[in-house]
Structures are given as structure tokens and as C-alpha cells.
């Protein structure tokens, strides 16, 4: 599950995006890697995102967006949860 903690919205469930935003997709190229992709990122997308896997482990990342500058833990438009 990928969620945005700022507004408690669930973005993905299992292997699909469920929030209705066509810019959001889930990439699962490797068995132990779940990647949230947000296309056309804008300032409203800034916030804290969390990926929770079925073992209860999670990873939290912060997306900073200021004008044309985007920063996600040193990664541009993909957020990784492994």
C-alpha cells in the first residue's frame, strides 16, 4: 500500500492505483520492489508518502516540490519501496 500521509489518502492497493488520479501508477519490475510513479508532479503533490508491505515493514519518504525543483530522497520522479 502506498499512501500520502498529509491527507491520509490511499494511493495504491496490491498491484494497482486506486485513487482515481491518472498521473499515479505502480511499477513492480522486481519481486521485492514497489515503485510509486507520479507523472507531471506539481506543488500539490509535495508531502510525506509511505509504502507499507504485508510484513508490516514500511518506508517513508518526503517529496519536496518548489517551482520546477523536485526532490525525493535524491530520486527525481520515482519513489521506491523495497
Amino acid at each position: 500500500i502506498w499512501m500520502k500521509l498529509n491527507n491520509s489518502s490511499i494511493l495504491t492497493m496490491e498491484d494497482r492505483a486506486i485513487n482515481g488520479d491518472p498521473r499515479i501508477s505502480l511499477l513492480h519490475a522486481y519481486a521485492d520492489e514497489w515503485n510509486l510513479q507520479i507523472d507531471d508532479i506539481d506543488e500539490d503533490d509535495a508531502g510525506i508518502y509511505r509504502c507499507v508491505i504485508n510484513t508490516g515493514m514500511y518506508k517513508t519518504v518526503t517529496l519536496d516540490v518548489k517551482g520546477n525543483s523536485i526532490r525525493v530522497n535524491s530520486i527525481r520522479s520515482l519513489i521506491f519501496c523495497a
Side-chain angles (χ1 to χ4, degrees):
I1 297 174
W2 271 103
M3 61 185 78
K4 186 172 182 184
L5 298 181
N6 302 59
N7 60 9
S8 300
S9 62
I10 296 177
L11 305 174
T12 67
M13 182 74 67
E14 296 176 355
D15 63 348
R16 64 190 181 283
I18 63 166
N19 74 329
D21 187 337
R23 301 174 310 121
I24 294 178
S25 59
L26 187 63
L27 305 175
H28 182 55
Y30 302 100
D32 61 348
E33 191 173 285
W34 297 88
N35 302 317
L36 180 68
Q37 181 170 331
I38 305 172
D39 295 326
D40 301 321
I41 291 174
D42 62 32
E43 290 186 7
D44 291 336
D45 296 316
I48 301 170
Y49 292 81
R50 178 172 287 169
C51 175
V52 181
I53 57 175
N54 59 3
T55 63
M57 296 179 62
Y58 64 89
K59 182 172 187 175
T60 303
V61 294
T62 301
L63 172 63
D64 292 318
V65 182
K66 292 190 170 85
N68 291 330
S69 176
I70 300 168
R71 192 179 74 199
V72 180
N73 292 354
S74 302
I75 301 167
R76 288 191 173 229
S77 63
L78 291 177
I79 302 172
F80 298 98
C81 181

